[in-house]
Amino acid sequence: GVQTCALPILPGEGKTTVAKNLASQVAHLGARAVLVDCDLRNPGLTRNIAHYATDGLVEVLKGEKSVADVGYVEPESGLVVIPAVVHRWTTNSSELLSSEAMKRFLKALEQRFDYVFLDLPPVGPVIDVRASADLIDSFLFVVEWGKTERSLVRATLDTEREVYDKCLGVILNKVDEAKFRLYEGTAYRNYYYSKYSKYYTS
């Protein structure tokens, strides 16, 4: 199995939506895929698609429940979703995500699934990602178009070297398609040709 995490730098960049869409697409194409809500501080994935869940990742890591007990299967794609149910404020989320139980859990998922996707909290403000980085094969950064500054992305990657070394790439989210088209093909060239024409006629 391959472990891949959708990882934002700041809250609100859309990493949960990206993780869900990517995992669903992979499952829809025929791969055995599982998506785990690892954001124990703000489990948005669980609220969106498994709000009725009473148990999830924490109970599995504590040995109280199995994946079969807590997993939800998306009918359209066959994607298995493991929710994160936070009954009270979880102060030891970084310890849970870096624990031997988490390591065993991921190994078990790798044996059962072709792809293991993890929806993690933002790498900037919390320690959870740094604590569990050595258990994870690869990261996909989710960066919001026009909001997250390049300097912040660069500084984060420079600081988090283990994450940087395992980074598969960056997904630009919430792109303004009208503005983005200015950077593509003919539109891009025509935009700058107009600048040049003004220069030469001035």
Side-chain angles (χ1 to χ4, degrees), residues 38-115:
C38 293
D39 194 341
L40 301 179
R41 300 169 187 265
N42 185 20
L45 175 67
T46 299
R47 284 197 303 270
N48 289 339
I49 65 175
H51 60 275
Y52 50 82
T54 57
D55 298 294
L57 175 62
V58 173
E59 288 70 30
V60 173
L61 295 181
K62 289 181 177 179
E64 299 171 0
K65 297 288 181 178
S66 68
V67 171
D69 292 330
V70 303
Y72 160 78
V73 180
E74 184 178 53
E76 300 84 0
S77 67
L79 173 69
V80 176
V81 178
I82 299 175
V85 179
V86 181
H87 299 290
R88 56 188 178 278
W89 178 249
T90 304
T91 57
N92 64 333
S93 58
S94 60
E95 287 87 351
L96 281 172
L97 294 177
S98 61
S99 65
E100 282 297 315
M102 184 68 174
K103 186 175 183 179
R104 292 192 299 270
F105 169 68
L106 291 176
K107 289 294 182 186
L109 292 183
E110 287 178 353
Q111 294 174 4
R112 179 178 170 186
F113 296 95
D114 300 315
Y115 292 90

Side-chain angles (χ1 to χ4, degrees), residues 36-196:
V36 185
D37 192 345
C38 293
D39 194 341
L40 301 179
R41 300 169 187 265
N42 185 20
L45 175 67
T46 299
R47 284 197 303 270
N48 289 339
I49 65 175
H51 60 275
Y52 50 82
T54 57
D55 298 294
L57 175 62
V58 173
E59 288 70 30
V60 173
L61 295 181
K62 289 181 177 179
E64 299 171 0
K65 297 288 181 178
S66 68
V67 171
D69 292 330
V70 303
Y72 160 78
V73 180
E74 184 178 53
E76 300 84 0
S77 67
L79 173 69
V80 176
V81 178
I82 299 175
V85 179
V86 181
H87 299 290
R88 56 188 178 278
W89 178 249
T90 304
T91 57
N92 64 333
S93 58
S94 60
E95 287 87 351
L96 281 172
L97 294 177
S98 61
S99 65
E100 282 297 315
M102 184 68 174
K103 186 175 183 179
R104 292 192 299 270
F105 169 68
L106 291 176
K107 289 294 182 186
L109 292 183
E110 287 178 353
Q111 294 174 4
R112 179 178 170 186
F113 296 95
D114 300 315
Y115 292 90
V116 179
F117 295 95
L118 309 179
D119 182 16
L120 286 168
V123 68
V126 295
I127 195 173
D128 295 9
V129 174
R130 295 187 288 277
S132 58
D134 63 329
L135 303 181
I136 296 166
D137 291 340
S138 57
F139 294 94
L140 279 172
F141 266 90
V142 179
V143 176
E144 184 173 347
W145 164 279
K147 180 179 179 183
T148 307
E149 295 185 7
R150 285 176 290 181
S151 58
L152 178 58
V153 176
R154 186 180 302 112
T156 301
L157 290 174
D158 285 343
T159 303
E160 309 300 335
R161 296 306 299 179
E162 189 167 7
V163 173
Y164 172 83
D165 291 340
K166 297 180 179 181
C167 182
L168 292 180
V170 177
I171 297 175
L172 274 181
N173 198 30
K174 304 181 184 179
V175 173
D176 184 327
E177 294 185 12
K179 291 182 180 178
F180 186 75
R181 280 195 291 271
L182 293 174
Y183 297 93
E184 292 183 329
T186 305
Y188 177 82
R189 291 193 299 271
N190 288 344
Y191 175 80
Y192 282 100
Y193 285 159
S194 66
K195 299 288 186 183
Y196 287 129

